[in-house]
Each structure stands twice: as C-alpha cells, then as structure tokens.
Amino acid sequence: MNRMPVYFLSHGGGPWPYVDDMRQQFAKTEQEFIALPGRLPAKPEAILVITGHWEEKDFTVSTAERPPMVYDYYGFPEHTYHIKYPAPGSLKLASRVLALLSNAGIAAKEDARRGFDHGTFVPITLMYPNADVPVVMLSMKSNYDPHQHIRVGQALTPLRDEGILIIGSGLTYHNMRGFGRDESTPIADAFENYLSEAVKQNNAEVRNDMLAKWETAPGARLAHPHEDHLIPLMVIAGAAGEDKGRSMFVDHVMKVPMATYEFGYGK
C-alpha cells in the first residue's frame, strides 16, 4: 500500500456543518473536506485523530469500541446536542498506537470512555458520511511541550505504511476574543504566514525547529493565547518524517485565515 499523507485540519467553529448560517460561512472548508478522501492513495483502514479538544496529563489513547459523542460547545441550537456519528473505534489501532509509543519510550494510557468531540466528528463526518471508517483518538499532553508532541508523531510514522490516516485537528488561529474583529486579520495573517513557511521547508529538522519555536512568530500569543488548537500540528509534523508540507487551502472566516496543511502530497 502507498504511504498515506498526513494532515493538519483547521476544523472551524463548533458544530458548524449542522448550523445553516455557519455552514454558509465555511462553504470552502466543507467542499475541501468532502473532497479530501479523493486525495488519498486508498480508503484508510482506520483514522487516528489528535484533536485540540482533548488533553490529559499523559498521552492517552481512546479504546472505546463504540465511541460516544462529546458536545464540547455552548450556545448552539438544541439539535446540535443530539448529533450522532456512529463510526466504530478500533482496538487493533489503539493497541498499535500504544505499542509504538511504548517502543519509543513514551508513556501512554488508555481511555475506554472517550467520545468524539467536534474537532473529530466535524471533519470526519464530511469526509466519511457513512461512518464506515474506524476512528481512534490520541490526546495531547497537557504540558503542550512542542518537542514531545513532535516526538510522538515521529513514533507514529509507521502507521502511514499500514493504511492509517493520521489527522491533527485544530486551528491556525484560536483567540476567542479576536474572532470577527478587524484588528485580528493582520495578526492572524502574519502568524499563518509563519506556519506556512515552516510547513513548506525542505529540511524536516528546520521545519520542526520553526514549529517548536512558534512563540517567536509574529503575533503568536495573540493568535494562540492558549495553544491547544496548535499543538496537534506538532504531532503531524513529526509523523510527516522527511515529507515536505504545503498549505492545501486557506479559508477566511470571522476575519481570520484558517489553514489546512498536507504532508506527503496526495493525488
């Protein structure tokens, strides 16, 4: 099987595909997520998601056979708290992830109750609406150490040759007070430009060093006061190995860019 590319997806705001006004705003993102499976060399055996909505003291792998839903958003219409995405989990993949991390000397735990948050179910619902691809989640570590997360990605690289699609789900800009404000646009643009420049580096060591030093980028802490939505990119950069990355597309919503990056180019 051909090696799978890896992706960092800017997943947008809350359950946006299920809210008409928001869905119109994210029309470009919706189109791109729907088309993404066509970029892959084959349908994945399973998907591993590192989501910006799950952090633990230690790296943790979801082991639920039938993952429940996690409605981790507020103030949305009532029907968005009844969304179901019935994709199965995969004990096989979860065990493989735990083994790869263990072999790399990285401590990890299991969670048999963790469900799909919107950073997980929103993009994957659009990609695989029939919920016919198993999904496993890997938490971030709550210290947000970029180097540790890059190392985790490096440990997971073999999955790409085993038919597993690895996705990091977050946002390139995540300042809740800044969305929709004119003054946020140049800040978000400058920070995304830094990330894009890092991602496209030919040398993986240079790329990973730039990402690890993200706080030195223009507007870094204004773009990410809390870096939960950025750290999944570190895992993806590690999993990319020597593969060069690129900006697959940028959507502009609420006056800020939301970029999605691809490593190991798809079709």
Side-chain angles (χ1 to χ4, degrees), residues 104-171:
I106 300 168
K109 296 181 177 179
E110 302 177 21
D111 187 336
R113 295 174 294 181
R114 178 68 190 185
F116 297 144
D117 58 74
H118 73 268
T120 301
F121 74 76
V122 163
I124 298 180
T125 294
L126 295 170
M127 292 166 60
Y128 295 103
N130 294 329
D132 55 353
V133 178
V135 179
V136 170
M137 291 165 291
L138 171 64
S139 81
M140 299 175 292
K141 191 172 182 178
S142 57
N143 65 3
Y144 294 146
D145 184 314
H147 296 285
Q148 289 187 30
H149 288 81
I150 290 170
R151 186 169 164 238
V152 162
Q154 291 168 337
L156 298 175
T157 300
L159 295 174
R160 298 177 57 195
D161 296 313
E162 299 169 12
I164 305 303
L165 176 62
I166 305 174
I167 291 173
S169 180
L171 284 166

Side-chain angles (χ1 to χ4, degrees), residues 2-264:
N2 294 332
R3 170 170 281 202
M4 285 284 181
V6 291
Y7 294 89
F8 173 80
L9 307 181
S10 281
H11 62 241
W16 61 264
Y18 301 88
V19 182
D20 288 343
D21 291 345
M22 294 185 72
R23 186 175 180 180
Q24 294 171 10
Q25 294 180 60
F26 286 97
K28 183 175 183 178
T29 295
E30 179 174 7
Q31 179 182 13
E32 294 284 355
F33 284 177
I34 290 171
L36 196 153
R39 303 177 69 82
L40 306 179
K43 188 174 182 179
E45 297 292 329
I47 300 172
L48 178 65
V49 180
I50 300 90
T51 166
H53 290 271
W54 188 24
E55 61 187 69
E56 299 286 352
K57 183 178 179 181
D58 298 299
F59 292 108
T60 305
V61 180
S62 66
T63 56
E65 292 188 51
R66 292 290 172 183
M69 303 296 290
V70 177
Y71 305 114
D72 56 342
Y73 40 79
Y74 305 94
F76 288 89
E78 177 62 25
H79 72 269
T80 64
Y81 299 92
H82 302 279
I83 295 166
K84 301 295 181 186
Y85 186 67
S90 171
L91 290 175
K92 178 182 177 181
L93 175 56
S95 297
R96 179 70 172 134
V97 170
L98 288 164
L100 287 170
L101 295 180
S102 177
N103 291 342
I106 300 168
K109 296 181 177 179
E110 302 177 21
D111 187 336
R113 295 174 294 181
R114 178 68 190 185
F116 297 144
D117 58 74
H118 73 268
T120 301
F121 74 76
V122 163
I124 298 180
T125 294
L126 295 170
M127 292 166 60
Y128 295 103
N130 294 329
D132 55 353
V133 178
V135 179
V136 170
M137 291 165 291
L138 171 64
S139 81
M140 299 175 292
K141 191 172 182 178
S142 57
N143 65 3
Y144 294 146
D145 184 314
H147 296 285
Q148 289 187 30
H149 288 81
I150 290 170
R151 186 169 164 238
V152 162
Q154 291 168 337
L156 298 175
T157 300
L159 295 174
R160 298 177 57 195
D161 296 313
E162 299 169 12
I164 305 303
L165 176 62
I166 305 174
I167 291 173
S169 180
L171 284 166
T172 49
Y173 176 93
H174 193 248
N175 183 337
M176 299 304 290
R177 295 184 177 182
F179 285 123
R181 301 174 69 94
D182 290 335
E183 58 267 31
S184 298
T185 304
I187 294 167
D189 283 343
F191 186 70
E192 198 283 314
N193 285 340
Y194 178 91
L195 293 181
S196 181
E197 188 65 28
V199 161
K200 70 182 183 182
Q201 291 295 314
N202 289 318
N203 185 303
E205 186 175 344
V206 172
R207 173 193 71 212
N208 293 346
D209 185 60
M210 288 181 68
L211 291 176
K213 294 177 178 175
W214 69 273
E215 286 185 274
T216 67
R221 277 297 174 189
L222 292 173
H224 288 275
H226 191 67
E227 60 263 43
D228 52 341
H229 276 59
L230 179 64
I231 290 299
L233 176 57
M234 309 300 169
V235 181
I236 295 306
E242 297 299 320
D243 287 343
K244 186 178 177 180
R246 64 181 173 185
S247 177
M248 194 175 96
F249 74 95
V250 181
D251 205 351
H252 292 83
V253 184
M254 294 179 282
K255 299 187 178 181
V256 299
M258 299 183 181
T260 285
Y261 304 125
E262 176 183 49
F263 299 83

